[in-house]
Amino acid sequence: MNLLYKSTRSKEGTVTASEAILKGLADDGGLFVPEYIPKLDVTMDELKEMSYQETAYAVMKQFLTDFTEEELKHCINSAYDSKFDTEVIAPLVKVGDVYHLELFHGATIAFKDMALSILPHLLTTAAKKNNVTREIVILTATSGDTGKAALAGFADVPGTKIIVFYPKGGVSRVQELQMVTQKGDNTAVVAIHGNFDNAQSGVKALFEDKELEKELADAGYQFSSANSINIGRLVPQVVYYVYAYAKLLQNEEIAAGEEINVTVPTGNFGNILAAYYAKQMGVPIAKLICASNENKVLFDFFRTGVYDRNRDFILTSSPSMDILISSNLERLIYTIAGQDADRNAELMSQLRERGSYEITPEMKERLADFEGGFATEDETKEAIHTTYERTGYVMDTHTAVASSVCAKYRKDSGDQKKCLIASTASPYKFIHSVMTAIDEKYASVDEFELIDELSRISGTEIPGAIQEIRNAQIRHNRECDADKMKETVKEILSV
């Protein structure tokens, strides 16, 4: 049966999966959602024997029903190959009494690789299916990781160009170097003078600009997105939660049907929404624990039912979560509003105009699967330090936020279910913050000198992505003000 997609802001019209992936954002500014969440048609007993690639096919065929088996398997096998430094793609590591799902073994050592290594293949396949003749321009805002993973995925892919905006001073030194040294004749990187929310709002405004759309069409271009607003980003993320549960079962860490809790460090809400979709598909997940840093807009939302971005923006040591407008939350709001597009559109309009909205008590009741928590900067450092002291395991700052929140949730609730933590980036990516948390003596040491030291104390190999940027040439040095993004895009495309 063909699963169709509709906008979170309109009752009218549906599109196929390939059309939703191509468009990125619906014409009315809404996000594409499936008409229903499909169920897995294989058992956990079958899944536990599957490779990552086989699991990906079992999950994604349920969502992307207009892709043929051959097309989908080609996309999967092209994505999950030797670009990853481990055959299992997403290793499961027991750390103390929790399980870390390591999602950072791809080309750019962050979880974004899990989806962005397949998105270019899904997109180019979708373009062929829909007889698209224009060049596809991938337009993306990044808080640090999406940018590099998207650039790496789309570099020199025929029929595409990619433009990435990131907040100047709002990403780690390693993240910035990974982006500005990116090769590829079709790549452009722009530092904006503002924060991530400015970049994200600017990109959304460009997608909604009908005049610009026409100008681009006349010049032979059309926009698509690599942000998690694109359903082609979200569906591949569902895979690793299904895979992780099946592997826990295979390793006899859990019994058949045993419920687990999942803790996800959360900024834009896509990664935890994927876990929610996995639960809807039939994975026995009990609580979805949403872990925030000091920009705790989501924690406050789950506690009060009020989403309020009118607050100070805090730069933290976990910059990929320094976000006050969590785009993917809209998909959840639409769901808990009973798929009422008008109600959702009204709330999103309030967010745009007032900077806040409040959900009804009935909607709040439907959030029972979720638990919010946050970690301060000190708690994040403490989690890195104590985990290393007790186990020798080194985790990055974002994973440490989740680790801290998970431990607090267990202590406060008494809920002792086994817990899976989404480990979203390599510690090498945020090396200065990580090493300083382990020992203050590293605070004054140059970031690049710490690379070898981290390798020594953790007993891990320096990732290829880090070795690459040590001597890489800077290729992108363009900057612009947040209100000049449209002019910058036109200049890059010579429109």
Side-chain angles (χ1 to χ4, degrees):
M1 186 169 156
N2 215 13
L3 178 60
L4 296 174
Y5 289 75
K6 51 191 179 178
S7 167
T8 51
R9 299 188 192 179
S10 164
K11 288 192 173 79
E12 303 306 316
T14 53
V15 296
T16 63
S18 63
E19 287 170 330
I21 289 169
L22 263 178
K23 289 173 81 71
L25 200 65
D27 291 337
D28 54 26
L31 307 189
F32 285 114
V33 283
E35 290 192 297
Y36 58 90
I37 303 298
K39 296 291 181 194
L40 288 164
D41 67 352
V42 285
T43 66
M44 280 296 162
D45 262 351
E46 292 170 288
L47 280 162
K48 74 181 187 187
E49 303 301 331
M50 288 186 189
S51 67
Y52 192 87
Q53 293 83 346
E54 289 165 338
T55 308
Y57 180 70
V59 173
M60 292 171 67
K61 71 174 186 183
Q62 299 296 98
F63 283 98
L64 309 181
T65 53
D66 68 326
F67 285 71
T68 66
E69 179 177 349
E70 186 187 0
E71 285 169 341
L72 195 48
K73 284 185 173 173
H74 171 73
C75 291
I76 288 165
N77 294 329
S78 302
Y80 304 114
D81 58 9
S82 59
K83 290 190 287 295
F84 288 80
D85 64 20
T86 167
E87 275 183 35
V88 296
I89 308 298
L92 207 51
V93 180
K94 192 168 185 180
V95 181
D97 61 352
V98 295
Y99 304 88
H100 283 231
L101 178 61
E102 291 188 346
L103 300 171
F104 53 77
H105 288 272
T108 75
I109 57 175
F111 83 101
K112 306 292 171 81
D113 289 324
M114 301 301 294
L116 281 163
S117 57
I118 193 169
L119 183 62
H121 302 287
L122 293 174
L123 198 61
T124 49
T125 304
K128 279 187 203 131
K129 292 177 87 63
N130 290 279
N131 304 312
V132 169
T133 54
R134 294 191 193 109
E135 195 158 14
I136 296 165
V137 179
I138 304 298
L139 197 60
T140 290
T142 186
S143 55
D145 285 338
T146 288
K148 172 59 183 180
L151 287 160
F154 282 95
D156 291 325
V157 170
T160 69
K161 287 191 185 318
I162 176 163
I163 303 171
V164 169
F165 290 96
Y166 75 94
K168 184 73 178 167
V171 300
S172 82
R173 180 72 182 134
V174 168
Q175 285 176 314
E176 183 170 47
L177 278 171
Q178 282 189 300
M179 288 189 279
V180 298
T181 59
Q182 175 66 49
K183 295 174 185 172
D185 292 339
N186 64 337
T187 63
V189 179
V190 186
I192 73 152
H193 306 139
N195 60 36
F196 170 71
D197 288 330
N198 301 137
Q200 180 165 253
S201 299
V203 164
K204 274 193 153 183
L206 293 175
F207 270 103
E208 292 168 23
D209 188 328
K210 297 300 172 196
E211 185 188 315
L212 179 62
E213 184 183 358
K214 187 178 181 314
E215 283 184 70
L216 288 175
D218 291 343
Y221 296 117
Q222 72 181 64
F223 279 147
S224 191
S225 169
N227 277 88
S228 53
I229 54 177
N230 192 318
I231 198 74
R233 266 282 301 275
L234 196 58
V235 169
Q237 291 181 271
V238 179
V239 174
Y240 48 74
Y241 292 108
V242 177
Y243 178 77
Y245 187 90
K247 288 304 160 201
L248 285 171
L249 201 55
Q250 185 185 39
N251 299 344
E252 298 183 349
E253 296 286 351
I254 54 173
E258 181 181 342
E259 287 192 325
I260 62 168
N261 292 332
V262 175
T263 307
V264 186
T266 310
N268 222 8
F269 207 75
N271 203 0
I272 195 164
L273 185 68
Y276 176 71
Y277 280 9
K279 176 173 179 163
Q280 305 297 306
M281 288 191 92
V283 179
I285 294 170
K287 283 286 181 194
L288 298 147
I289 302 163
C290 178
S292 300
N293 64 18
E294 288 181 359
N295 291 293
K296 57 188 182 67
V297 64
L298 286 164
F299 168 76
D300 292 337
F301 168 71
F302 284 116
R303 197 168 45 89
T304 64
V306 176
Y307 192 94
D308 187 358
R309 66 172 172 84
N310 299 311
R311 59 184 70 207
D312 290 337
F313 183 92
I314 302 164
L315 289 173
T316 73
S317 61
S318 46
S320 300
M321 296 157 66
D322 291 345
I323 291 172
L324 296 181
I325 304 172
S326 302
S327 282
N328 264 292
L329 186 64
E330 178 169 349
R331 287 186 167 112
L332 181 65
I333 297 298
Y334 174 78
T335 302
I336 63 173
Q339 298 201 334
D340 183 337
D342 292 340
R343 178 78 189 109
N344 175 69
E346 187 187 323
L347 293 172
M348 294 308 122
S349 169
Q350 288 172 19
L351 180 64
R352 196 167 54 247
E353 288 158 21
R354 298 183 215 155
S356 68
Y357 61 80
E358 183 169 9
I359 60 173
T360 64
E362 297 79 42
M363 288 167 74
K364 194 163 188 294
E365 276 173 31
R366 292 178 188 150
L367 292 175
D369 290 337
F370 290 87
E371 191 70 42
F374 77 98
T376 64
E377 284 289 272
D378 285 344
E379 287 169 333
T380 303
K381 282 177 82 166
E382 180 62 20
I384 293 169
H385 181 83
T386 54
T387 299
Y388 174 69
E389 290 291 316
R390 285 179 194 157
T391 67
Y393 186 82
V394 181
M395 56 186 165
D396 93 291
T397 45
H398 303 74
T399 307
V401 168
S403 176
S404 176
V405 167
C406 179
K408 276 193 283 188
Y409 168 75
R410 286 177 131 182
K411 183 168 175 279
D412 295 347
S413 67
D415 181 351
Q416 290 306 307
K417 287 185 193 72
K418 294 185 175 105
C419 193
L420 180 75
I421 289 175
S423 185
T424 52
S426 164
Y428 287 91
K429 199 144 194 177
F430 303 94
I431 197 161
H432 204 270
S433 299
V434 168
M435 294 299 280
T436 305
I438 286 171
D439 193 323
E440 279 293 337
K441 73 181 182 188
Y442 296 121
S444 57
V445 182
D446 176 73
E447 199 158 333
F448 280 82
E449 285 176 36
L450 291 174
I451 293 169
D452 298 302
E453 182 67 358
L454 173 54
S455 177
R456 185 185 71 77
I457 67 163
S458 64
T460 57
E461 277 188 38
I462 299 167
I466 295 294
Q467 295 283 32
E468 265 176 33
I469 60 168
R470 282 179 130 170
N471 304 304
Q473 174 194 349
I474 304 288
R475 293 170 176 270
H476 306 275
N477 49 23
R478 196 185 297 259
E479 298 186 14
C480 79
D481 291 336
D483 61 355
K484 291 284 184 282
M485 288 168 64
K486 179 175 176 175
E487 290 82 349
T488 304
V489 166
K490 288 173 71 171
E491 183 186 310
I492 290 166
L493 298 175
S494 305
V495 172

